[in-house]
Amino acid sequence: MDKPDPSVGDRLRRLRGQAGRPEPPVSADTGSAATLAPSFSDRVRRLMVGREPVRSKVPDEVALREALGAQALAPGVLLIERRLGARLRHGRVVLKPDGAVVERLPSSLRVLMAPKVATQPPSAPLVYLDTETSGLSGGSGTWAFLTGIVSADGEGWRLRQYLLTRLDAEAEYLEAVRGAITGAGAMVSYNGRSFDVPLLTTRFRLCEQPDPFARLPHLDLLAPVRRAFGRVWPDCRLATAESRLLGLEREGDMPGSAAPLAWLDWLRRGDTTGLAAVLRHNRWDLFSLVGLVPVLGEAFEDPVSLGADTHAVAAHHIGHGQPDRALWMLRADRHRLGTAGLLELARLHRRRGEWGEACAIWETLAAAGEQAALAALAKYHEHRSRDLLRALGYAIALSPSPERDRRCERLEAKLALKRGA
């Protein structure tokens, strides 16, 4: 017989009894309730564990100014200024302020400036510039929050670092940077032509301020480093140039890629801990620029002494109207030259009418099957020595081509005519 349905009162009593019943125990093996799922309140408590809201500090510019030893130029703009003595050591080089004028720039580097410095007074000062930015991609969404500038100051050096601590103070920040550049005869940077200057120019335009870089001669040291060492170093980063040319190894340095986060930590949470490291990184960058100028000048005068690519340096001098200097360099380093460098050396000898030296190089290369040398010897013996048989021999050794066929036909015709005569 079927059991009768419980009455309404029985069902209510059962529900009341279940409501007062304690939750089932947790299994030691599974770590979960033996029969029932966790209550809603338990689930909320579990979700809240480790989810406490981060309480940010309000950025305290006074504390930051004191921590950095800075002065306030305007609300949101700090200047960290240092005056340093002469003969400052940086790595294994000594930085001498008497060379920080346009006229003391090595001529091989001066020709790389754009625009040219012909209109600048010879005694016009150099400024060395480096920025730290909110990102590495550039564009109008990237801020240059730190601009460092080094210049000679009497018997020593003057270091100025302009720090933007509030986004709404950018106009005042840029005015201070422009004031530091005004009066300079030329500027030196590292990759500044592609990054620092375009970025700062964009910021000046967005703030509707005149661009101080528009007519300022600019030497970007990345160009001569790539020219002299691009084929002999694994890369041409500033850190590589510092290590190989200045003997500088940075210990405990913040990588440049970490600078944006340090600035954002200040803006969002008032965290000052990273900004001192950013300033130190920027300071090292700046003094590396100062040290690289005379060392790169030496590399372009005597590439062998610093392990530079002699052929590339010689090509630089040829391109700027100094073939005699290029010839001297190539001859001095002949034993290290590759095929292209030897062909360049032979070409320079030929231009000077030094046919014996040129032929000696071509013959060495022709013995190894070098096509350009074979063609040069074929031309020489056809038109200079008039040894048509030797010219034909070199022409026949050339790789098959329509030009080779025409040359051989012409030489054979000349030989036939000579025999007939």
Side-chain angles (χ1 to χ4, degrees), residues 336-348:
R336 285 201 314 141
L337 296 178
T339 298
L342 289 170
L343 288 172
E344 187 66 70
L345 177 57
R347 188 182 70 83
L348 291 172

Side-chain angles (χ1 to χ4, degrees), residues 32-98:
S32 60
T35 56
L36 296 179
S39 67
F40 175 74
S41 60
D42 286 338
R43 292 197 297 271
V44 170
R45 282 194 294 272
R46 292 177 187 176
L47 287 171
M48 291 300 292
V49 172
R51 303 288 180 96
E52 297 294 333
V54 177
R55 292 179 174 83
S56 301
K57 294 192 302 181
V58 175
D60 185 348
E61 189 169 314
V62 173
L64 178 63
R65 187 175 72 233
E66 293 176 352
L68 299 179
Q71 57 178 301
L73 300 181
V77 183
L78 297 183
L79 168 62
I80 301 90
E81 184 170 12
R82 302 285 185 272
R83 282 181 165 80
L84 305 166
R87 300 186 63 81
L88 187 67
R89 182 167 290 279
H90 188 67
R92 63 169 172 259
V93 302
V94 176
L95 312 180
K96 300 177 182 178
D98 59 353

Side-chain angles (χ1 to χ4, degrees), residues 134 137-144 170 198-203 205-206:
S134 65
S137 59
S140 59
T142 303
W143 299 66
E170 188 180 35
L199 176 57
L200 283 171
T201 294
T202 297
R203 304 315 305 180
R205 289 174 179 169
L206 289 174

Side-chain angles (χ1 to χ4, degrees), residues 414-421:
K414 287 184 176 181
L415 282 168
L417 184 62
K418 186 177 180 180
R419 293 189 194 100

